[in-house]
């Protein structure tokens, strides 16, 4: 019989991350059971169930007692896995403490349990992602510090532009990683429980109260119950039941999409700079090829780049969940489950790969220096134009310098020779001054200061409060 488990054969980016196990079917089952048990404990805490019932349900809510394959096959009948799980959990409590079986799933709806379980799984996953992002940011800070003044070619529209530094590039990567971590941490801190009952009014929790208590139960007991439920699970208390107010899911999708995009920028730069003909960077332990023994492929950057292309599509499904009709939807909620899990897994894998990539990234300043010389000084035309404009005026300087640059490119001449061949230019620039002006290390602008300022950022605020 074929192995039915999804072990990540077609998603190698995810398998090395701890998020993979945290989002398994077994993990979701455990989260659903935790949600069911916490409902009874919360009811006991506010006087709507006996403490012994909370103990009995909690004792029965162990994932290893339940058959995943059976739950999955029976889920189709009701459209979600909570319905067969409630039946099995009730049976387990009945066998151990029959007098407390009536307290299983008394009041919540299936969506309460599934949504809360999803938040528990998401919380655990985002903790891992955040930790990997923190490691990545630390590695990038080290790279930026060590290469603060390492010149390299700045590239715009795929072509050499003006010199920059690798330190500034690494500081830019770090800024994006910190932005991503801020979004992940903000979403993680606000993940809420879900508890609303059949249509978000919490009515059943009052209706199921013992008859002698029912008159004493007020509207506020439901609010207290939700607060206690959140405390039981370590999640936030929502302002309202969010069966069709899908801000939490949409926010998770947006944060995961931004995170993989930020890491994708890093990866895309590494992939370009690791090309054989560029050779300015290399992965510390490149991957092999099935056919070419000489290859050391940048596999981590490749997997991150792939993740950055997948998660936005998954996030679009999560964002579309905002369009959910009525008090509970048919379809939009069900459509979230697998995309959420896939997005968490892929983002977790990308964050893990980024931490490994940046920890072992090989920087080759000698190749950066060699590549700066490829255009024979053309990277410095902006600097020359500024210098010449003081003597010739901006338009005349640009015209003459453009002509010299074209001649240099067409004839394969160093720029200094082409400039020297222009009488007007040679008259205002000595040969020594010209050689000085085309030295890349002398035209780095504020790259060092910008890098220093970026590295002083230890937090990751999206918005600064006005001072």
């Amino acid at each position: 019989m074929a192995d039915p488990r999804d072990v990540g054969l077609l998603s190698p980016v995810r398998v090395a991350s701890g998020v993979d196990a945290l989002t398994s079917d077994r993990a979701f089952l455990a989260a659903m059971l935790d949600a069911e048990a916490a409902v009874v404990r919360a009811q006991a805490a506010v006087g709507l169930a006996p403490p012994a019932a909370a103990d009995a349900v909690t004792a029965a809510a162990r994932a290893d007692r339940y058959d995943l394959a059976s739950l999955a096959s029976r889920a189709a009948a009701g459209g979600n896995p909570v319905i067969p799980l409630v039946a099995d959990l009730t049976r387990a409590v009945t066998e151990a403490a029959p007098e407390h079986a009536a307290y299983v799933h008394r009041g919540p709806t299936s969506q309460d349990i599934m949504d809360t379980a999803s938040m528990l799984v998401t919380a655990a996953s985002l903790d891992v992602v955040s930790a990997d992002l923190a490691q990545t940011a630390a590695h990038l800070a080290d790279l930026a510090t060590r290469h603060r003044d390492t010149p390299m070619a700045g590239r715009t529209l795929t072509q050499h532009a003006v010199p920059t530094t690798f330190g500034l590039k690494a500081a830019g990567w770090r800024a994006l990683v910190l932005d991503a971590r801020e979004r992940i941490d903000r979403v993680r801190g606000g993940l809420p429980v879900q508890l609303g009952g059949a249509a978000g009014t919490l009515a059943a929790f009052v209706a199921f109260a013992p008859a002698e208590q029912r008159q004493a139960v007020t509207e506020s007991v439901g609010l207290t119950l939700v607060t206690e439920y959140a405390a039981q699970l370590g999640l936030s208390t929502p302002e309202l039941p969010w069966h069709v107010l899908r801000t939490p899911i949409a926010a998770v999708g947006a944060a995961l999409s931004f995170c993989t995009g930020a890491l994708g920028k890093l990866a895309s730069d590494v992939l370009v700079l690791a090309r054989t003909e560029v050779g300015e960077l290399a992965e510390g332990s490149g991957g092999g090829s099935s056919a070419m023994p000489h290859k050391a492929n940048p596999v981590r950057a490749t997997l991150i780049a792939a993740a950055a292309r997948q998660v936005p599509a998954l996030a679009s499904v999560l964002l579309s969940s905002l369009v959910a009709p009525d008090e509970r939807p048919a379809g939009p909620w069900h459509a979230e489950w697998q995309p959420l899990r896939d997005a968490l897994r892929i983002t977790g894998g990308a964050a893990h790969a980024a931490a490994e990539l940046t920890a072992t990234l090989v920087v080759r300043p000698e190749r950066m220096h060699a590549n700066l010389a490829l255009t024979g000084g053309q990277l410095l035309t902006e600097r020359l134009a500024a210098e010449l404009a003081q003597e010739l005026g901006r338009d005349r300087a640009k015209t003459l310098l453009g002509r010299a640059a074209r001649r240099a490119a067409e004839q394969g001449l160093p720029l200094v020779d082409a400039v020297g061949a222009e009488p007007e230019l040679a008259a205002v620039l000595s040969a020594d001054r010209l050689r000085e002006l085309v030295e890349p290390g002398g035209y780095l602008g504020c790259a060092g200061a910008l890098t220093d300022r970026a590295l002083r950022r230890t937090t990751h605020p999206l918005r600064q409060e006005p001072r």
Side-chain angles (χ1 to χ4, degrees), residues 172-251:
W173 294 340
R174 177 178 180 266
L176 278 177
V177 170
L178 291 178
D179 288 345
R181 190 175 178 224
E182 190 282 334
R183 286 163 170 79
I184 293 294
D185 288 351
R186 179 181 294 182
V187 168
R188 165 64 180 92
L191 294 176
V193 295
Q194 174 77 285
L195 195 62
T201 64
L202 295 164
F205 294 101
V206 177
F208 277 117
E212 63 273 14
Q213 292 180 250
R214 205 165 296 155
Q215 289 185 347
V217 172
T218 64
E219 287 183 352
S220 64
V221 73
L223 307 185
T224 304
L225 176 65
V226 176
T227 300
E228 179 61 33
Y229 185 45
Q232 289 285 339
L233 293 171
L235 296 174
S236 295
T237 303
E239 181 181 22
L240 294 169
W242 46 279
H243 295 139
V244 287
L245 308 176
R246 306 306 283 175
T247 298
I249 294 294

Side-chain angles (χ1 to χ4, degrees), residues 51-86:
D55 293 341
V57 176
T58 299
R62 298 201 320 267
D64 59 358
R65 297 185 58 171
Y66 300 89
D67 185 336
L68 276 170
S70 173
L71 290 169
S73 66
R74 289 182 287 146
N80 72 75
V82 177
I83 295 172
L85 179 61
V86 169

Side-chain angles (χ1 to χ4, degrees), residues 99-432:
E99 69 277 18
H100 298 311
Y103 290 95
V104 174
H105 199 72
R106 195 180 72 165
T109 189
S110 296
Q111 190 173 349
D112 289 332
I113 301 305
M114 191 67 187
D115 280 349
T116 299
S118 294
M119 292 297 97
L120 289 171
V121 168
T122 298
S125 300
L126 294 187
D127 285 343
V128 174
V129 171
S130 180
D132 281 333
L133 292 176
Q135 284 192 34
T136 301
H139 299 324
L140 291 172
D142 180 62
L143 287 169
T145 300
R146 287 193 285 117
H147 293 281
R148 176 189 185 274
D149 301 312
T150 300
M152 66 180 297
R155 295 169 171 92
T156 64
L157 302 181
T158 76
Q159 306 297 299
H160 282 200
V162 297
T164 184
T165 67
F166 182 67
L168 184 58
K169 182 176 285 289
W173 294 340
R174 177 178 180 266
L176 278 177
V177 170
L178 291 178
D179 288 345
R181 190 175 178 224
E182 190 282 334
R183 286 163 170 79
I184 293 294
D185 288 351
R186 179 181 294 182
V187 168
R188 165 64 180 92
L191 294 176
V193 295
Q194 174 77 285
L195 195 62
T201 64
L202 295 164
F205 294 101
V206 177
F208 277 117
E212 63 273 14
Q213 292 180 250
R214 205 165 296 155
Q215 289 185 347
V217 172
T218 64
E219 287 183 352
S220 64
V221 73
L223 307 185
T224 304
L225 176 65
V226 176
T227 300
E228 179 61 33
Y229 185 45
Q232 289 285 339
L233 293 171
L235 296 174
S236 295
T237 303
E239 181 181 22
L240 294 169
W242 46 279
H243 295 139
V244 287
L245 308 176
R246 306 306 283 175
T247 298
I249 294 294
V252 170
L256 296 176
S257 183
F258 183 93
C259 181
T260 53
L263 297 176
K265 159 59 179 169
L266 185 165
S268 67
D269 280 350
V270 170
L271 290 171
V272 168
L273 297 176
R275 289 176 180 271
T276 303
E277 56 270 32
V278 179
E280 295 176 3
L281 297 177
E283 290 197 7
S285 54
S289 163
S290 64
M292 295 168 283
H294 70 281
K295 294 290 290 293
N297 296 321
V299 290
R300 291 186 180 86
T302 297
L303 293 176
I304 296 168
R309 286 162 173 78
Q310 295 176 76
V311 174
L314 297 168
S316 71
V317 178
L318 303 182
L319 288 165
S320 72
S321 69
L322 289 166
V323 188
D326 301 325
E327 278 60 57
R328 287 183 55 226
W333 169 55
H334 306 74
E336 297 168 1
W337 308 335
Q338 192 62 37
L340 175 63
R341 170 155 71 177
D342 287 344
L344 288 169
R345 286 176 164 179
I346 294 170
T347 304
H352 182 76
E356 291 187 333
L357 169 63
T358 53
T360 60
L361 191 66
V362 177
V363 182
R364 294 172 173 161
E366 71 284 357
R367 288 298 295 268
M368 294 176 179
H369 178 76
N371 288 337
L372 280 167
L374 286 176
T375 58
Q378 300 251 26
L379 278 82
L380 283 303
T381 54
E382 181 184 73
R383 186 184 192 189
L384 287 173
E387 180 86 4
L388 291 166
Q390 299 176 41
E391 298 292 334
L392 303 174
R394 187 171 65 177
D395 290 343
R396 184 58 177 166
K398 182 178 179 181
T399 297
L400 293 172
L401 190 56
R403 188 164 66 195
R406 285 192 297 274
R407 182 184 301 116
E410 291 167 359
Q411 300 179 13
L413 300 173
L415 183 63
V416 291
D417 292 348
V419 170
E422 289 284 346
E424 279 189 75
L425 299 182
V428 295
L429 279 181
S430 68
D432 287 344

